[in-house]
C-alpha cells in the first residue's frame, strides 16, 4: 500500500517513497482552479505543531499540539475521535 498508494490517500510525509509530493487526482484542472473555495476548517489547540496530515480511506489523521492525535472526516472536517 505504501509503495503504490491509492490516488485518494496521502499515507506518508511526501506521499510516496520517492518524495513526489504530487497528487494524481484529476478533479482540479486549469479550467476550474479559479472556482476553488474553502470546504472546511478546524482549529487546533494552543501551541506549536509541524506535522503533515495523513489521509487514508477518507479519514484525515492530524497531530495537535501536545501530541494529541485526532481522526477527522476528510470531506467534512467532523471529528471522528
Amino acid at each position: 500500500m505504501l509503495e503504490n498508494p491509492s490516488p485518494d490517500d496521502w499515507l506518508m510525509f511526501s506521499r510516496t517513497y520517492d518524495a513526489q509530493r504530487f497528487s494524481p487526482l484529476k478533479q482540479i484542472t486549469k479550467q476550474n482552479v479559479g472556482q476553488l473555495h474553502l470546504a472546511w476548517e478546524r482549529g487546533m489547540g494552543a501551541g506549536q505543531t509541524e506535522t503533515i496530515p495523513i489521509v487514508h480511506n477518507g479519514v484525515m489523521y492530524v497531530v495537535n499540539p501536545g501530541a494529541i492525535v485526532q481522526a477527522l472526516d476528510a470531506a467534512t472536517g467532523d471529528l471522528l475521535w
Side-chain angles (χ1 to χ4, degrees), residues 4 6 12 14-15 22-23 25 28 30-31 39 42-43 47 51 57-60 62-64 66 73-74 77-78 81:
N4 187 22
S6 164
M12 64 180 84
S14 295
R15 189 174 175 280
F22 170 78
S23 172
L25 297 176
I28 299 172
K30 290 179 183 179
Q31 291 74 31
R42 182 168 193 83
T51 63
N57 286 340
V59 178
M60 179 181 290
V62 296
V63 179
N64 283 268
D73 180 316
D78 292 339
W81 51 262

Side-chain angles (χ1 to χ4, degrees), residues 2-48:
L2 293 176
E3 291 178 348
N4 187 22
S6 164
D8 297 330
D9 290 341
W10 198 280
L11 302 176
M12 64 180 84
F13 178 75
S14 295
R15 189 174 175 280
T16 60
Y17 280 121
D18 57 350
Q20 290 181 10
R21 292 190 180 189
F22 170 78
S23 172
L25 297 176
K26 305 291 184 203
Q27 289 93 333
I28 299 172
T29 66
K30 290 179 183 179
Q31 291 74 31
N32 68 16
V33 71
Q35 300 168 15
L36 295 177
H37 63 277
L38 181 65
W40 58 266
E41 66 180 86
R42 182 168 193 83
M44 295 181 136
Q48 294 182 340

